[in-house]
Amino acid sequence: MTEKLQAPRGTYDVLPEDFAARTALEAKAREVLGAAGYERIETPALEQTEVFARGVGASTDIVQKEMYTFDEGSESLTLRPEGTAPVCRAYVEHGMHKLAQPVKLWYLGAYFRRERPQAGRYRQFWQVGVEALGSDEPAVDAEVVVLLVTLLGEMGVEATLRLSSLGTPATRAAYRDELQAYLRANSDRLSAEVRERIDLNPLRAFDADHPGTREVMAGAPKLLDRLDASDREHFDEVRRLLDVAGVRYVVDPTLVRGLDYYTRTVFEVTSEQLGAQSGVGGGGRYDGLVEELGGPPTPGMGWAAGIERILLAGGRAPGAAAPVDLYVALGMGETEFALAHEARRAGLRAQLDLGGRSMKGALKQANRLGARYVAWVDGAGVQLRDMESGEQREVPRDEVVRNVLRGPGL
Ligand code: ATP
Ligand code: MG
């Protein structure tokens, strides 16, 4: 016997019964984001590897170990692990800096990371995201954050918002030196993993679970205390606007995002309704990214949230499947086929019994589908049954659709 074929590790099939909840989320995203003037964009699942090497940062976990990369001729391509860098690449490629700014975009699609699969963590997962490009106003930061909080609220996710600011690259560079010096001075108390990454990514030390490291980090200098005046002012204004919107947040000076491109505002949303993988979404400002990808200097701000985790946390009961107006039973002949076709052209939801069921079986199936009417050909006429009342009568063939459209009753 040959080996059983399965979906690859860390991936899953989205089955018909899963779509009600996913469609509801997509509709909600379109409603919430569309109402604020964000327009949908979709970039390819594949990008030149350079987009992520430059756009996400060579020292990040994503680029170092999580990307699916392969050669195509002389090109190196990568399955997109995130959406911000591709959207910025598209912004540059299509000259969107010539449009009215900021350009406000949203997306929903599949992303790929080579991770250890576990509950809420997949190798192919879906994200919904937002990017606002071309304005460095604090109002943009606040609006973008509020949109995520609103969408999550609408989806029934109870979330905690953590917020911080990373300042400018210059502030960060100076702070990085200061933090590295501090970590080196205390290196004997750090975990081996953190010690090895002092040069590469010292900020990650704030994320460590190791007790000794945590003690050291409790006394570490905080970036938030090193912001220059304009970044401080920007952060204060973002906070003030969130207060105006009635959005609750916690300022967390140790917040570290897994991507290199962030400047100023960063934020993360977690939910207690999830287990170990508590991150629902996150994002921030990336004022240098578009330029890094070859475009004009362009500030940007955005977020991405995981669809699986939103659905897991929200636990929304999937909506009812689309009801059926007319179920055509007992036969797949020309008359039945034409009847179902005609009903659909008239705007009805019509299903033809393609299972060769008996009368009893057909009525059972029609019941299961919640069909309003069942019809079957009977000599020159058609028997039409109102499933609600149980009433049944013979109607002329060309009056069936009109009768169903007019319903209820016969
Ligand atoms: P985590 O800390 O869980 O690894 P992350 O910081 O890598 O998350 P981001 O890059 O900020 O995540 O992506 C935004 C959101 O996308 C996350 O908050 C999460 O909901 C979702 N996400 C990220 N990676 C995965 C994955 N492998 N499987 C499912 N969802 C994911
Ligand atoms: Mg991750």
Side-chain angles (χ1 to χ4, degrees):
M1 210 174 81
T2 49
E3 207 181 318
K4 248 203 234 148
L5 294 174
Q6 293 181 327
R9 207 166 115 73
T11 72
Y12 63 93
D13 296 308
V14 183
L15 297 171
E17 61 263 34
D18 304 324
F19 264 96
R22 296 173 80 96
T23 307
L25 170 51
E26 183 169 345
K28 203 39 102 180
R30 190 180 311 117
E31 180 190 317
V32 170
L33 307 174
Y38 288 69
E39 294 183 293
R40 189 155 181 183
I41 187 169
E42 178 65 33
T43 60
L46 286 168
E47 291 279 349
Q48 294 177 322
T49 302
E50 192 65 14
V51 169
F52 305 111
R54 277 202 257 161
V56 177
S59 72
T60 58
D61 278 356
I62 291 181
V63 173
Q64 291 235 315
K65 35 181 205 205
E66 294 177 1
M67 297 206 306
Y68 289 104
T69 297
F70 58 93
D71 290 330
E72 179 63 52
S74 61
E75 254 186 344
S76 174
L77 297 181
T78 292
L79 282 172
R80 60 182 181 185
E82 61 95 53
T84 303
V87 167
C88 290
R89 192 268 309 142
Y91 177 92
V92 175
E93 182 170 339
H94 300 286
M96 291 190 214
H97 63 279
K98 292 187 216 118
L99 304 174
Q101 306 293 302
V103 173
K104 302 183 291 183
L105 304 166
W106 74 277
Y107 52 85
L108 190 158
Y111 294 82
F112 306 86
R113 296 184 193 177
R114 182 183 279 119
E115 308 210 57
R116 200 165 63 80
Q118 48 200 293
R121 188 178 294 288
Y122 303 92
R123 289 181 169 175
Q124 176 177 345
F125 57 101
W126 273 259
Q127 281 186 339
V128 54
V130 154
E131 315 292 347
L133 290 144
S135 166
D136 62 4
E137 288 297 326
V140 172
D141 304 47
E143 172 171 291
V144 160
V145 172
V146 169
L147 288 173
L148 176 57
V149 171
T150 305
L151 178 60
L152 293 178
E154 295 273 335
M155 290 307 297
V157 178
E158 290 161 26
T160 305
L161 170 63
R162 292 183 303 136
L163 189 69
S164 192
S165 175
L166 300 180
T168 56
T171 312
R172 259 172 104 178
Y175 169 74
R176 198 184 149 101
D177 290 343
E178 184 186 356
L179 182 63
Q180 280 171 336
Y182 175 81
L183 290 172
R184 284 200 196 92
N186 292 280
S187 65
D188 51 332
R189 289 155 68 203
L190 300 174
S191 73
E193 198 193 343
V194 168
R195 206 179 309 127
E196 275 159 27
R197 292 172 71 86
I198 291 179
D199 287 327
L200 198 59
N201 198 350
L203 282 169
R204 274 282 169 190
F206 284 109
D207 275 355
D209 290 326
H210 177 256
T213 305
R214 291 184 69 102
E215 262 174 52
V216 172
M217 296 324 287
K222 305 277 193 298
L223 177 54
L224 212 42
D225 299 326
R226 301 289 184 268
L227 298 187
D228 67 29
S230 73
D231 290 343
R232 158 69 48 198
E233 206 176 297
H234 185 274
F235 188 51
D236 289 345
E237 182 63 5
V238 172
R239 293 182 54 178
R240 210 175 60 77
L241 293 172
L242 290 177
D243 292 339
V244 166
V247 168
R248 284 212 300 250
Y249 56 85
V250 180
V251 174
D252 179 353
T254 70
L255 191 60
V256 190
R257 304 276 309 142
L259 302 90
D260 271 358
Y261 51 57
Y262 289 111
T263 52
R264 292 188 158 176
T265 310
V266 284
F267 67 100
E268 225 160 54
V269 172
T270 52
S271 177
E272 301 263 306
Q273 293 157 303
L274 296 171
Q277 318 308 326
S278 64
V280 179
R285 185 165 270 292
Y286 45 84
D287 291 347
L289 180 54
V290 171
E291 206 176 352
E292 185 68 42
L293 292 171
T298 308
M301 168 81 196
W303 52 256
I307 299 287
E308 292 80 8
R309 296 192 199 169
I310 293 176
L311 294 176
L312 262 174
R316 271 285 154 89
V324 175
D325 298 309
L326 177 65
Y327 191 83
V328 183
L330 292 188
M332 291 165 263
E334 269 172 50
T335 315
E336 289 87 354
F337 193 88
L339 191 56
H341 180 65
E342 183 192 325
R344 288 180 199 135
R345 285 178 47 119
L348 293 171
R349 284 181 274 238
Q351 287 196 29
L352 185 60
D353 182 353
L354 297 172
R357 290 178 179 81
S358 67
M359 193 66 225
K360 199 173 148 204
L363 285 176
K364 214 163 140 187
Q365 175 67 0
N367 238 328
R368 217 174 358 237
L369 295 170
R372 290 166 51 221
Y373 289 91
V374 175
W376 62 96
V377 177
D378 182 17
V382 169
Q383 292 291 334
L384 187 63
R385 183 184 177 102
D386 180 329
M387 294 295 282
E388 179 84 37
S389 64
E391 203 186 340
Q392 179 184 322
R393 102 182 144 81
E394 182 171 330
V395 295
R397 157 74 184 78
D398 53 7
E399 278 180 28
V400 175
V401 168
R402 210 174 316 143
N403 203 314
V404 174
L405 280 169
R406 194 180 56 229
L410 295 173

